[in-house]
Amino acid sequence: MAMAVSASRVTQFPLLHQSQFPVARAARSKKMMGGRNLKGFVIFAQYSQSQDLFTSRLQSRIENLPKLVEDIVQTSINTGPRGALRLVQGVQAFLGVGGEWLNDLSKSTRVSGALPTEMQLGLLSPLYLRKLFERMGATYIKLGQFMASAPTLFPPEYVEEFQNCFDKAPPVPFEEIRKILQEELGRPIESVYEYVDPAPLASASIAQVHGARLRGSQEDVVIKVLKPGIEDFLVADLNFIYVVARIFEFLSPEFSRTSLVGIVKDIRESMLEEVDFNKEAKNIESFKRYLETMGLSGQATAPRVYKHCSSRRVLTMERLYGVPLTDLDSISALVSSPENSLITALNVWFGSLISCESFHADVHAGNLWLLRDGRIGFLDFGIVGRISPKTWAAMEVFLASIATEEYESMASALIQMGATNIDVDAKAFARDLEKMFSSIQELDTEIVVATARGTNSSRTAVAANVVVDERQMNALFLDLVRVSESYGLKFPREFALLMKQLLYFDRYTRLLAPNMNMLQDQRISVVSNRRKNRYTDSFN
């Protein structure tokens, strides 16, 4: 029926109307006329189809317009005057980074004359967008860190650049911190703490940490305090990001197919969870229950939470004393075998993936310590991951196959883990994985050793750290994602979080146990043989 209608329309086009051709020429022009008619018909059919598609999309957008307007109005009401303040701050950040870009542009053109690609993109280039996010503060720093941990959702250039999105911020004056403590505790802070150090131990975009001592018990604690105004900023920023995502999905169906609004909701949930210290307290308590249940409390610990002086905006925790896992000299002074300490940390963390409600998803050196009593200390549970049984089952096989270089098992595990609507050629995928892993050169690492002789003794202190080419490590993971995406695979965010933690542990291994293979050493329980065999069988 649609084809008949299109054919009837063709006769209305002047160039194809028969009355415009002389009858005497009709016979010898019959062949030519047929060709022109056919070509015109095809062109018009394509035009008609595109018009129908445009009409359909326009009708769909008109139907969805009231809902979009309702969302924007409701979001604006929820944001209130906070939006105006954030707009002013956003303009200031934009002008600041814009000035940097113009300055760099001037230097670049003077030196080479040609304009680098990154400079052509302006503030939308990965480098300057990261700088803009850092100036915009807490929400955008967290958004940048989310981008860095979600390589299946964002372009690789941005994922790589946002690995450098640092969460540091100037400290808030102590008088403002004191005011928040008094509001949250509902009584003078002197009645709870015997002493609170006005100088913060650390200051990030969302919170800052102060050392203190509890009144009565005389226990040393740390107080994590949510910075003033952060919740207002988060609400305004996240509402703005939501509105932009809704508009993009309204204007372009492609964004709708990528579930842009769903991604924004995921970011929102993750950020709001991080600023609710009641949830962080629950994460800590869950981890401590895991240690107790598995009989690991003598090997590792997490800070005790003092509930009577904690709330949604204040978290008071036991103060643990120790050194980061990158401080080789201090570790060697505390234990006879740094390698055994690393093995303990690995076993405790791997065990939490399957035996704990959530796993620690930010095990950088500041959050993973060797304590004075020889135990491993896990700090800061603001960022945790939750992994489904299906993803972990596939992850176990994936890790085992890396160690044994069994690429078909690796491909099967990744296919099981990745969401896709198409059939994947597992053998071809395995061959491409083998090519990728065989082409990877050993990561460039360097042990940097610094020595210093004490003023009051003849002892020479030796501090060592491991310097790893971060770009190479990120490239390794991104290559894996690119190869997988070429087969239509989209991994859950938990996969990226897990891989990021494994890269952290790889750095510690290179420093503390350079001759150990983290995935093959029998002392490390990455997977149990029973689970490994069962899941390997299910994939083959």
Side-chain angles (χ1 to χ4, degrees):
M1 179 62 73
M3 190 65 74
V5 171
S6 297
S8 68
R9 291 177 182 170
V10 172
T11 59
Q12 303 304 313
F13 273 72
L15 291 176
L16 300 176
H17 202 286
Q18 290 185 3
S19 64
Q20 294 193 14
F21 294 91
V23 176
R25 298 177 58 194
R28 69 171 181 264
S29 302
K30 186 175 181 179
K31 186 175 181 180
M32 179 179 67
M33 285 286 294
R36 288 182 178 176
N37 271 317
L38 180 60
K39 184 177 180 181
F41 174 77
V42 172
I43 293 173
F44 183 72
Q46 293 173 343
Y47 170 79
S48 178
Q49 290 172 358
S50 64
Q51 285 288 95
D52 292 343
L53 180 61
F54 173 77
T55 302
S56 174
R57 287 183 177 178
L58 181 61
Q59 183 177 353
S60 176
R61 288 175 187 172
I62 291 173
E63 291 174 354
N64 292 328
L65 184 59
K67 177 60 177 173
L68 174 66
V69 173
E70 181 185 344
D71 276 359
I72 291 175
V73 171
Q74 187 60 50
T75 303
S76 300
I77 292 173
N78 293 340
T79 304
R82 296 171 290 198
L85 175 61
R86 285 302 280 160
L87 178 61
V88 172
Q89 294 172 332
V91 170
Q92 292 174 339
F94 183 87
L95 292 175
V97 178
E100 286 187 46
W101 176 78
L102 288 173
N103 186 47
D104 293 343
L105 177 66
S106 175
K107 292 178 181 177
S108 179
T109 52
R110 282 202 307 267
V111 172
S112 62
L115 198 60
T117 304
E118 188 167 82
M119 298 301 298
Q120 294 175 17
L121 291 173
L123 299 193
L124 291 179
S125 72
L127 173 63
Y128 294 101
L129 190 62
R130 173 180 63 79
K131 290 184 176 183
L132 180 61
F133 275 27
E134 289 177 340
R135 284 196 181 222
M136 287 289 288
T139 310
Y140 290 88
I141 289 174
K142 296 300 177 185
L143 177 59
Q145 292 174 339
F146 180 91
M147 291 171 65
S149 67
T152 61
L153 300 178
F154 301 97
E157 297 81 7
Y158 291 84
V159 172
E160 188 171 345
E161 180 60 43
F162 277 91
Q163 299 287 340
N164 303 316
C165 193
F166 297 115
D167 191 1
K168 294 181 180 179
V172 171
F174 181 67
E175 285 308 310
E176 294 187 44
I177 296 297
R178 171 188 284 272
K179 183 179 178 182
I180 293 172
L181 286 172
Q182 191 149 326
E183 288 175 358
E184 290 297 306
L185 300 176
R187 53 193 186 277
I189 66 171
E190 291 79 11
S191 67
V192 179
Y193 308 105
E194 182 176 290
Y195 167 77
V196 178
D197 190 346
L201 296 171
S203 176
S205 58
I206 285 178
Q208 68 186 48
V209 178
H210 290 260
R213 181 175 296 127
L214 288 179
R215 182 168 292 281
S217 67
Q218 299 292 300
E219 293 172 279
D220 288 347
V221 296
V222 292
I223 312 170
K224 187 175 182 178
V225 183
L226 193 69
K227 288 185 173 179
I230 286 298
E231 290 168 295
D232 288 342
F233 288 166
L234 280 176
V235 170
D237 292 343
L238 291 170
N239 285 347
F240 170 74
I241 294 169
Y242 173 77
V243 167
V244 170
R246 287 285 285 116
I247 292 173
F248 278 169
E249 282 201 354
F250 176 77
L251 295 176
S252 175
E254 286 73 19
F255 283 108
S256 180
R257 284 194 288 271
T258 59
S259 302
L260 184 61
V261 169
I263 294 170
V264 170
K265 287 181 178 178
D266 188 10
I267 295 171
R268 183 179 186 276
E269 182 179 342
S270 174
M271 287 186 184
L272 292 181
E273 185 170 321
E274 195 172 344
V275 298
D276 185 347
F277 292 162
N278 285 327
K279 291 186 177 180
E280 182 173 352
K282 289 180 181 178
N283 293 336
I284 296 173
E285 290 172 348
S286 172
F287 186 77
K288 289 181 76 68
R289 281 196 304 272
Y290 150 70
L291 294 176
E292 291 171 7
T293 302
M294 302 302 290
L296 298 171
S297 298
Q299 300 177 39
T301 191
R304 172 188 171 189
V305 175
Y306 295 88
K307 293 183 179 180
H308 72 282
C309 46
S310 295
S311 67
R312 188 172 57 85
R313 299 170 65 197
V314 172
L315 183 60
T316 303
M317 299 170 286
E318 169 191 9
R319 184 168 186 174
L320 300 178
Y321 291 93
V323 296
L325 283 192
T326 52
D327 189 342
L328 181 58
D329 182 56
S330 297
I331 290 174
S332 298
L334 289 172
V335 294
S336 58
S337 175
E339 183 175 297
N340 287 340
S341 297
L342 174 62
I343 290 171
T344 297
L346 283 163
N347 282 329
V348 169
W349 185 80
F350 275 121
S352 71
L353 297 178
I354 55 176
S355 300
C356 189
E357 296 171 16
S358 59
F359 65 89
H360 198 302
D362 196 21
V363 290
H364 62 71
N367 291 338
L368 193 60
W369 287 10
L370 177 67
L371 304 182
R372 290 176 180 174
D373 62 8
R375 292 185 297 173
I376 299 296
F378 287 81
L379 313 178
D380 193 348
F381 284 75
I383 302 177
V384 297
R386 295 172 180 86
I387 187 167
S388 68
K390 174 186 173 182
T391 300
W392 175 240
M395 192 71 185
E396 285 183 313
V397 177
F398 172 73
L399 294 175
S401 61
I402 289 179
T404 57
E405 298 183 0
E406 295 174 357
Y407 296 103
E408 290 192 9
S409 294
M410 187 187 303
S412 297
L414 291 173
I415 292 170
Q416 182 77 4
M417 199 185 312
T420 181
N421 295 322
I422 61 175
D423 292 331
V424 179
D425 186 339
K427 290 190 178 297
F429 185 27
R431 288 193 296 269
D432 286 345
L433 288 172
E434 184 174 6
K435 290 177 184 176
M436 187 199 80
F437 277 92
S438 62
S439 65
I440 295 173
Q441 301 297 321
E442 186 175 349
L443 294 178
D444 294 335
T445 60
E446 179 184 1
I447 302 295
V448 177
V449 179
T451 61
R453 186 175 297 275
T455 55
N456 298 323
S457 71
S458 60
R459 181 175 178 268
T460 300
V462 180
N465 207 335
V466 61
V467 178
V468 183
D469 189 334
E470 297 285 349
R471 292 188 177 274
Q472 276 188 292
M473 299 189 75
N474 293 331
L476 168 61
F477 179 51
L478 292 175
D479 282 344
L480 176 62
V481 171
R482 289 190 194 101
V483 171
S484 301
E485 283 189 334
S486 69
Y487 286 87
L489 299 177
K490 296 288 184 182
F491 297 124
R493 182 169 176 253
E494 288 79 12
F495 175 71
L497 283 174
L498 286 169
M499 290 299 294
K500 187 174 182 180
Q501 309 321 305
L502 290 174
L503 291 178
Y504 280 132
F505 279 117
D506 181 71
R507 298 171 205 177
Y508 305 145
T509 301
R510 293 172 186 276
L511 175 63
L512 302 177
N515 297 320
M516 184 179 77
N517 187 314
M518 184 174 67
L519 299 180
Q520 287 184 317
D521 197 293
Q522 295 298 311
R523 296 168 295 175
I524 300 171
S525 302
V526 178
V527 293
S528 66
N529 291 330
R530 180 178 60 84
R531 290 175 62 90
K532 176 183 173 183
N533 293 336
R534 185 176 71 199
Y535 290 120
T536 303
D537 291 342
S538 69
F539 290 138
N540 293 331

